[in-house]
Amino acid sequence: MKKTTFARRTSLWLTLMAITCAPLAAQTGPGFGSLKCEQETDPVGIETPSPRFSWQLVSPERGCRQTAYRIVVAGTEKDAAAGRATMWDSGKVPGEQSLLIPYNGQPLGAAETYYWSVRVWGPDGKPSAWSPAQRFTMGLPDREDWSGARWIALEEDVDSLIVINGTFDTGPDNPILGNKPFGRNKLPLLRREFTVDKPVRRATAYVCGLGQFELFLNGEKTGDHFLDPAWTKFDKEAQYVSFDVSDRLRQGANAVGAMLGNGFFNIPRERYSKFAGSYGAPKMIFKLQIEYEDGTRQTVVSDDSWKAAPGPVTFSSIYGGEDYDAGLAQAGWTSPDFDDSSWSAAVLTRFDSPLRSQRTTPIKIRQRVPTVRKYRNSKGNYLYDLGQNASGIVRLSVRASGRHTVRMFPGELCRPDSTVNQRSSGGPVFFSYTT
C-alpha cells in the first residue's frame, strides 16, 4: 500500500511539474515578471515628476543575467509595445540594474496616462522582445489641476464648533471645551448626472471625501477600498484617491454619487470617545476626467450643480458606533434618472489644506470572521461569540414587519449574567439598525 501511494504521488508530482514548466520550455529568451511603476502595477494618481520603473528577469536558462536594458515611455499603448518612445527613451544602458530606475524625459502632464515598456540584453548580447506595455496615470499635484472643482457639503461649517487641536479629555469639565456640542453634523449623500455621447478611451476619477467616503458610478460602488481616504492631520494635509473608471461609464445618461462619513475628521462628542475634535461638516472635492476616442475631453467636477440630501446613517463615530435608519434609504440615488427634486443644492464650502495623492495600500475587506457560538442570555438578548478580538464590520440580516430597532453592543468581556461588559474596551459603544 505504501509503495503504491508513493508511486501515485510521484507520478502526480511529475505531471504537475511538466505542466508548470511547459510555458518556460516554449520561451526562447529572457522574459519579464513583476513590471512595476513606483512599486505598483499600473498605478493611478502618481504625483512624482520622475516615476521609477522596476522589473524581474524571467528565463528558462540557468544562470541567465541582464547585461543592459532600455526603457521607452510613450503616450499610447501601441507605441510603447513597439518600442517607440514619444516621451522618453533611456537608450541602451549597460548593467544589471532593474529596480527603481527614474524617468528622465519630457515633463509629464497632470491627469495624463502614459505607457512604458522595457527590453533587456543577456550575456549573449542579444536583446529580448519588448515587455508588454504597462501604464501609469498621473495625479493632480497642484490645486489648479482640479479644473475649478470646489469643496461641497450638505451643511455650512460653523466656525465656533470647529475644534482643530482636539483633546483626549472629552468630559464636560474640560476647561477648553466646556459643554460645547460639536461633531453632530448630518451625513450627506451627494449626486450629479452627466451625459456621455461618444466612445470613451479613458476615464479617471479623483476624489477626497472627508472624513470617509464611498464613491458610486451608475449604481455600483467604485473600487474595493474601505475607509478611504487615509487619516491625516487634516489641517496639514488631506489625501485624495484615484480610480480608473474607464469601464464604468455608459453611453447616454450617467450618475455619480458619494456617501460621506465622519471618520477622524469629525468626531461627535457623544457616546464613548478616546479623542474629540472636529474640522467641520463632512465635505468632498471631486474631478472626473473623460478622454474620448476622438481625442476630445470632458471634465465633471464638484460644484453647486450637485444635489445633496441627508443619508440613512443618522449617527457616526469612529469610536462610539453608528446608527442606520433604513426608512431614510433612497433606492436608486446613485443611478441615472433618479428623481432628486426634493434634494437641495450642494453647499459650496472651503477647506484649505493641501491635497496629496493617497499612495498607501488601501484598507480592504480581507476576511470574514464566523460566529463560534450564539446563545440567548437571561435578559432575552442574543450573544454572538466571534472567538477572537477583532476590528471589522457587522453583517446583519433582519426580517421584520414595521419599524423595529436592533442594537448591537460590542465588547471584549462578558458579565456573569452573560451580558456584554465594555469595561476594558470603553463604552457606551453600540450600533443600531432600524428596519
Side-chain angles (χ1 to χ4, degrees):
M1 177 64 70
K2 291 182 179 179
K3 290 183 179 179
T4 303
T5 303
F6 175 78
R8 286 178 178 173
R9 288 177 178 171
T10 304
S11 175
L12 177 61
W13 181 78
L14 289 173
T15 302
L16 290 174
M17 184 176 70
I19 293 172
T20 303
C21 294
L24 290 179
Q27 187 174 312
T28 58
F32 301 93
S34 193
L35 291 149
K36 304 281 189 179
C37 175
E38 284 298 298
Q39 305 190 69
E40 299 179 59
T41 301
D42 296 339
V44 182
I46 292 176
E47 289 189 344
T48 174
S50 297
R52 298 165 296 174
F53 307 107
S54 305
W55 61 89
Q56 291 179 352
L57 193 65
V58 177
S59 174
E61 300 175 9
R62 184 184 297 272
C64 181
R65 63 184 180 86
Q66 173 187 304
T67 60
Y69 69 85
R70 180 184 172 194
I71 301 172
V72 297
V73 178
T76 68
E77 183 177 9
K78 184 177 180 180
D79 281 339
R84 292 190 295 267
T86 59
M87 297 300 295
W88 180 52
D89 188 337
S90 71
K92 184 179 178 180
V93 180
E96 297 182 349
Q97 184 178 357
S98 61
L99 293 175
L100 302 176
I101 297 170
Y103 173 85
N104 189 26
Q106 300 179 48
L108 301 170
E112 296 287 349
T113 297
Y114 299 98
Y115 298 84
W116 69 281
S117 185
V118 61
R119 75 187 318 178
V120 300
W121 282 258
D124 59 3
K126 296 180 180 179
S128 70
W130 287 100
S131 71
Q134 309 295 299
R135 73 175 182 271
F136 62 93
T137 301
M138 300 301 291
L140 308 174
D142 299 314
R143 189 64 180 85
E144 55 266 27
D145 297 328
W146 286 82
S147 304
R150 299 284 302 273
W151 286 97
I152 59 174
L154 174 65
E155 301 174 279
E156 297 273 5
D157 284 330
V158 179
D159 291 343
S160 63
L161 299 182
I162 293 178
V163 182
I164 289 179
N165 292 327
T167 176
F168 288 95
D169 178 5
T170 62
D173 298 328
N174 182 287
I176 299 174
L177 302 179
N179 289 315
K180 180 189 289 187
F182 57 82
R184 200 57 157 98
N185 298 88
K186 296 177 182 177
L187 300 169
L189 307 178
L190 302 166
R191 74 181 304 273
R192 185 192 154 168
E193 295 190 17
F194 59 96
T195 301
V196 170
D197 55 8
K198 290 180 284 189
V200 174
R201 177 182 297 167
R202 271 187 302 270
T204 309
Y206 303 89
V207 57
C208 178
L210 300 174
Q212 321 281 186
F213 75 87
E214 289 195 345
L215 183 70
F216 300 86
L217 269 172
N218 296 325
E220 295 183 6
K221 180 182 171 179
T222 299
D224 59 354
H225 299 188
F226 181 64
L227 294 180
D228 272 341
W231 302 327
T232 60
K233 186 77 165 60
F234 294 107
D235 58 324
K236 304 297 183 184
E237 176 185 299
Q239 299 193 350
Y240 67 89
V241 187
S242 309
F243 298 100
D244 183 341
V245 294
S246 305
D247 60 348
R248 301 294 303 279
L249 303 184
R250 61 181 68 161
Q251 294 299 302
N254 290 258
V256 57
M259 187 177 193
L260 304 187
N262 281 328
F264 277 104
F265 184 78
N266 184 51
I267 305 174
R269 198 179 182 186
E270 299 177 42
R271 304 185 192 176
Y272 168 69
S273 180
K274 291 181 182 179
F275 178 83
S278 175
Y279 293 87
K283 51 183 60 68
M284 181 193 76
I285 190 169
F286 172 88
K287 175 180 175 178
L288 171 64
Q289 179 162 297
I290 305 169
E291 182 181 346
Y292 293 110
E293 290 287 358
D294 64 6
T296 60
R297 300 189 178 196
Q298 177 183 355
T299 302
V300 179
V301 299
S302 50
D303 55 24
D304 56 5
S305 67
W306 286 57
K307 291 293 194 73
V313 178
T314 58
F315 177 84
S316 179
S317 168
I318 199 71
Y319 293 110
E322 188 167 280
D323 299 340
Y324 185 98
D325 187 345
L328 300 178
Q330 301 189 51
W333 70 274
T334 62
S335 299
D337 303 322
F338 172 79
D339 182 7
D340 59 11
S341 58
S342 63
W343 290 35
S344 60
V347 172
L348 296 180
T349 187
R350 290 188 58 188
F351 193 68
D352 297 327
S353 292
L355 286 163
R356 297 288 178 262
S357 179
Q358 177 175 296
R359 306 314 314 155
T360 56
T361 301
I363 299 173
K364 297 184 179 182
I365 297 175
R366 306 285 184 180
Q367 174 186 7
R368 296 187 184 276
V369 180
T371 299
V372 173
R373 184 171 62 123
K374 182 184 82 169
Y375 58 97
R376 202 167 188 175
N377 64 17
S378 58
K379 294 187 176 183
N381 299 320
Y382 286 97
L383 273 81
Y384 296 80
D385 184 355
L386 302 182
Q388 67 180 70
N389 207 337
S391 179
I393 324 159
V394 175
R395 183 178 183 180
L396 175 71
S397 297
V398 179
R399 180 179 298 168
S401 176
R403 285 178 65 80
H404 299 271
T405 297
V406 178
R407 279 190 173 182
M408 294 158 281
F409 296 83
E412 299 176 0
L413 303 172
C414 276
R415 298 186 180 90
D417 63 354
S418 292
T419 56
V420 168
N421 186 345
Q422 295 183 333
R423 183 182 63 192
S424 63
S425 53
V429 179
F430 60 88
F431 300 83
S432 72
Y433 179 86
T434 301
T435 61

